[in-house]
Amino acid sequence: MNFRAQIDALGVLFEVEVDYEFSLPEDDTGWPGDLEITEVWVLGYYPEYDGKRGEYVPLNIKSRLDCISNPEYQYLEQLAERNLNKQRKEAYEARL
């Protein structure tokens, strides 16, 4: 799965696309499930730090996951969890 987000790094607002995989919890084994970020693409940056305009300067750079700091990775994980919960909610509502 993937989603797009805006993140601030070094005082620059970037548009990124985050790809992630997840596994569901297993009740019979007690495994809590897992979410793993597999790729992060820096799609571009906003030269005026105004992400509301929706126009960024394209970069399309694949990020090295081993170079992302722990706080940045945790932030991206939180965004991925929110995206996953949103997808689950939309799928549930579509079944009704």
Side-chain angles (χ1 to χ4, degrees):
M1 300 184 77
N2 63 29
F3 64 94
R4 285 188 174 189
Q6 295 173 349
I7 61 169
D8 182 322
L10 301 171
V12 178
L13 185 63
F14 291 96
E15 183 79 16
V16 297
E17 182 172 287
V18 179
D19 295 338
Y20 65 96
E21 296 176 352
F22 70 97
S23 60
L24 296 173
E26 298 176 11
D27 294 334
D28 56 337
T29 63
W31 178 256
D34 191 30
L35 186 140
E36 178 184 1
I37 294 173
T38 57
E39 290 184 342
V40 176
W41 286 87
V42 179
L43 301 177
Y45 71 95
Y46 295 92
E48 301 297 323
Y49 204 89
D50 182 12
K52 294 180 181 177
R53 288 190 313 178
E55 297 178 17
Y56 55 82
V57 177
L59 293 174
N60 204 31
I61 300 170
K62 185 176 180 180
S63 177
R64 290 182 46 197
L65 293 179
D66 60 338
C67 292
I68 296 175
S69 70
N70 284 339
E72 290 170 332
Y73 190 88
Q74 290 171 349
Y75 177 68
L76 293 174
E77 269 187 330
Q78 289 174 350
L79 293 177
E81 288 174 4
R82 284 188 210 153
N83 179 262
L84 181 59
N85 289 334
K86 178 183 170 190
Q87 296 294 325
R88 287 177 176 159
K89 181 180 177 184
E90 289 174 0
Y92 176 77
E93 289 173 355
R95 290 188 334 201
L96 296 179

